[in-house]
Amino acid sequence: MELSPEEIELFIKEVQENSKYDFSGYSIKSFTRRVEKIAMDAGLEFPELLEKLSSDKVFLERAVMDITVNTTELFRDPLIWQSIRKDTIPLYKNLPEIDIWHAGCSTGQEGFSMLIMMKEEGLFENTNSFGSDLNSDVIETAKSGQYKYREIDEYIHNFKTAFEKGEKAVFEDYIEVSRSGSLIKVSKNIVQKPVYKQVDLTKFENPFDRKFHVIFCRNVLIYFKHSLQNQIFEFFHRNLHTGGSLIIGRHEGMLGHISSKFKKNGAIYIK
């Protein structure tokens, strides 16, 4: 099935009219592939898909969960984590509390990566960690801190690269590997630290009632139209302390007037 931009707009309108979700600011190109897969998996022609969205709330909610992209891993893009450790964390090491928000936290590996790094830097007790995502299913996975064993080799590689050669950080101090159960588990004290909430960034609401020293929003904005990206950058700017850091994906960028409100250092933007 190949859907036209007009059909995708109809899909978005149907979801908006029958739920709390608004996908009007999403990039049509990336959105189309996911809607086509939903229709194909359900064995529905497009008119039937629209009808099911309006008549079946459970199906609609599942479709929304399937639409949201959830790709993450421990210490993803480890060279960026080297920069975070070297250039970002030292900015806040003398604060009594460090508030960090992972907006679009997916299944939690990014938040756990940051907490492991804060632990290694002796700042774990000072750190308040917050995670949010549109997809409630991935938040439940994050709360468990358990992942499939097949990612283990990539996680170990990322960990070693993030901490560079000669460092004393030990992967097994934070990650329990259960080969028999085909699972890896993040240590309990790390898993219990973050506070999670289901949040739709396009509503521009801060559910944690505070400003942040660091906001992560990596590989989320790439799925939004340029105008929505800038609105979210403005939202993050309002919710960062002066001198706070915004960390986005390496394939994402900041254009237009909003860029004058930040000082850029690689993928890290300082308010």
Side-chain angles (χ1 to χ4, degrees):
M1 175 185 291
E2 292 186 7
L3 298 178
S4 68
E6 292 76 19
E7 287 173 319
I8 294 300
E9 293 291 350
L10 287 173
F11 178 94
I12 290 171
K13 183 179 179 182
E14 197 69 42
V15 170
Q16 190 173 5
E17 289 179 350
N18 289 281
S19 74
K20 61 185 178 181
Y21 303 107
D22 181 2
F23 293 107
S24 59
Y26 281 60
S27 167
I28 293 295
K29 183 177 180 181
S30 61
F31 200 83
T32 299
R33 292 191 297 271
R34 283 170 273 162
V35 176
E36 289 172 345
K37 186 175 188 305
I38 288 168
M40 183 178 67
D41 290 347
L44 298 172
E45 295 298 322
F46 185 71
E48 297 171 315
L49 177 64
L50 292 185
E51 171 60 28
K52 198 163 182 63
L53 289 173
S54 65
S55 63
D56 189 336
K57 297 295 184 184
V58 174
F59 176 81
L60 188 153
E61 189 71 21
R62 174 48 50 197
V64 169
M65 297 304 104
D66 290 342
I67 283 168
T68 55
V69 177
N70 297 289
T71 304
T72 188
E73 61 196 46
L74 285 172
F75 293 99
R76 184 180 187 181
D77 301 325
L79 295 181
I80 291 175
W81 285 98
Q82 287 183 11
S83 178
I84 291 169
R85 183 164 175 261
K86 178 183 175 183
D87 302 321
T88 302
I89 293 176
L91 298 175
Y92 315 109
K93 65 180 181 180
N94 294 322
L95 296 176
E97 287 190 301
I98 307 167
D99 292 326
I100 301 173
W101 180 15
H102 297 268
C105 66
S106 188
T107 47
Q109 290 97 316
E110 178 186 83
F112 297 145
S113 300
M114 188 61 174
L115 286 172
I116 290 170
M117 193 158 273
M118 299 302 271
K119 186 86 167 177
E120 287 293 317
E121 295 299 308
L123 296 170
F124 181 79
E125 298 301 327
N126 301 51
T127 300
N128 299 314
S129 179
F130 302 87
S132 68
D133 204 281
L134 177 64
N135 188 322
S136 58
D137 291 348
V138 297
I139 290 176
E140 291 306 309
T141 300
K143 289 178 179 178
S144 76
Q146 297 187 27
Y147 308 103
K148 293 179 180 178
Y149 175 77
R150 65 172 178 260
E151 286 95 0
I152 187 68
D153 290 338
E154 189 166 15
Y155 288 173
I156 291 173
H157 168 76
N158 289 353
F159 183 93
K160 290 181 177 179
T161 305
F163 285 101
E164 302 177 289
K165 296 178 181 178
E167 296 294 342
K168 296 179 180 179
V170 178
F171 183 81
E172 289 77 9
D173 286 348
Y174 301 103
I175 310 295
E176 175 189 344
V177 180
S178 174
R179 290 176 175 81
S180 60
S182 297
L183 286 175
I184 58 175
K185 301 178 182 180
V186 180
S187 61
K188 187 175 181 179
N189 66 324
I190 300 289
V191 171
Q192 291 180 337
K193 186 82 162 174
V195 174
Y196 295 103
K197 290 192 177 181
Q198 185 183 20
V199 173
D200 183 349
L201 283 177
T202 68
K203 306 295 186 186
F204 311 112
E205 296 172 351
N206 176 352
F208 302 109
D209 194 30
R210 68 187 67 209
K211 285 192 173 184
F212 298 91
H213 301 98
V214 182
I215 296 177
F216 284 80
C217 189
R218 301 176 68 208
N219 309 301
V220 175
L221 300 170
I222 196 170
Y223 298 104
F224 297 157
K225 296 176 182 176
H226 176 68
S227 58
L228 179 56
Q229 289 179 11
N230 277 352
Q231 287 178 284
I232 291 175
F233 283 137
E234 291 278 6
F235 168 67
F236 286 151
H237 186 270
R238 294 194 300 271
N239 287 279
L240 276 169
H241 290 289
T242 299
S245 297
L246 173 61
I247 302 171
I248 62 178
R250 61 192 176 99
H251 298 301
E252 297 169 327
M254 190 181 295
L255 300 172
H257 172 70
I258 184 61
S259 62
S260 66
K261 297 184 178 183
F262 291 87
K263 179 181 178 181
K264 188 175 185 297
N265 180 12
I268 301 170
Y269 292 78
I270 310 294
K271 175 177 174 177

